Amino acid sequence: VASIRKRYSRAQRRLRDRDQPTHSPRAEVALMLERMMAAIIAQDKDAVVALMSQDVVALTDGGGVVSAAIRPVVDRHRIAQILLHLAKKDVVKESIEVSFVNVNWSSWLLLLDAGQFHSLTSVDVRAGLVNRIYIVRNPYKARALMTGDAELL
């Protein structure tokens, strides 16, 4: 029993002491998403990299339903390369619709392909640079959006 209590207190301390993500103001997130989208559409890797902090992390969620990175991507050059590749493959299609939506008190970029959910993307911004990138590709997690429960900007 004593060892369980000790493990529990250590786990609590680790959770309390770790770097907790903070939510960036909605306007700051929307502006950064616009800048990133412009650089990605222009296929300007240097501009995409310049928007990201040295320790940026990209997290994706396909939910086992659609393809997505299984592990976090941590190198900003690699993240930029992936984003540019996906844009070449998907975003430049004429069937892609892009809009901003408010989800969980933050701005997200919603991509629809021929009216069907493609992905949601948001970022955390620290010191004027992207610190975290969140990409949700799991259509079931976006169900509230597809049923009209989200607030369109």
Side-chain angles (χ1 to χ4, degrees), residues 33 37 91 96-103 107-113 115-122 134 136-139 141-148 150-153:
L33 285 170
M37 194 66 178
V91 176
I96 292 287
E97 301 169 45
V98 179
S99 59
F100 286 94
V101 294
N102 288 327
V103 179
S107 293
W108 288 73
L109 197 61
L110 171 65
L111 276 71
L112 300 176
D113 187 356
Q116 299 296 315
F117 176 78
H118 179 277
S119 63
L120 276 170
T121 302
S122 191
Y134 305 101
V136 178
R137 300 219 42 234
N138 183 341
K141 289 193 178 177
R143 185 168 294 205
L145 286 173
M146 304 311 290
T147 59
E151 174 188 343
L152 290 173
L153 295 178

Side-chain angles (χ1 to χ4, degrees), residues 36 39-40 44-54 56 75-81 83-84 129-130:
M36 283 189 69
I40 289 168
D44 186 347
K45 183 177 179 181
D46 292 335
V48 175
V49 169
L51 294 171
M52 294 186 261
S53 67
Q54 292 285 341
V56 65
D75 178 61
R76 65 186 184 158
H77 295 280
R78 178 76 177 130
I79 293 169
Q81 180 181 353
L83 293 174
L84 293 172
L129 296 171
V130 173

Side-chain angles (χ1 to χ4, degrees), residues 8-94:
Y8 179 73
S9 68
R10 286 178 183 159
Q12 280 184 316
R13 187 174 42 248
R14 280 189 207 118
L15 287 172
R16 186 180 54 245
D17 295 343
R18 75 177 189 194
D19 183 26
Q20 295 291 328
T22 58
H23 296 288
S24 304
R26 188 182 300 171
E28 186 177 24
V29 169
L31 179 62
M32 189 57 73
L33 285 170
E34 286 178 13
R35 288 179 181 163
M36 283 189 69
M37 194 66 178
I40 289 168
I41 289 173
Q43 292 290 296
D44 186 347
K45 183 177 179 181
D46 292 335
V48 175
V49 169
L51 294 171
M52 294 186 261
S53 67
Q54 292 285 341
D55 59 347
V56 65
V57 176
L59 304 164
T60 64
D61 181 1
V65 180
V66 294
S67 63
I70 296 170
R71 293 183 182 91
V73 183
V74 293
D75 178 61
R76 65 186 184 158
H77 295 280
R78 178 76 177 130
I79 293 169
Q81 180 181 353
I82 291 168
L83 293 174
L84 293 172
H85 171 75
L86 292 173
K88 270 187 184 178
K89 182 178 150 208
D90 293 327
V91 176
V92 294
K93 291 195 290 189
E94 289 186 23

Side-chain angles (χ1 to χ4, degrees), residues 1-13:
V1 176
S3 68
I4 292 172
R5 282 192 216 129
K6 188 64 174 174
R7 287 182 187 170
Y8 179 73
S9 68
R10 286 178 183 159
Q12 280 184 316
R13 187 174 42 248

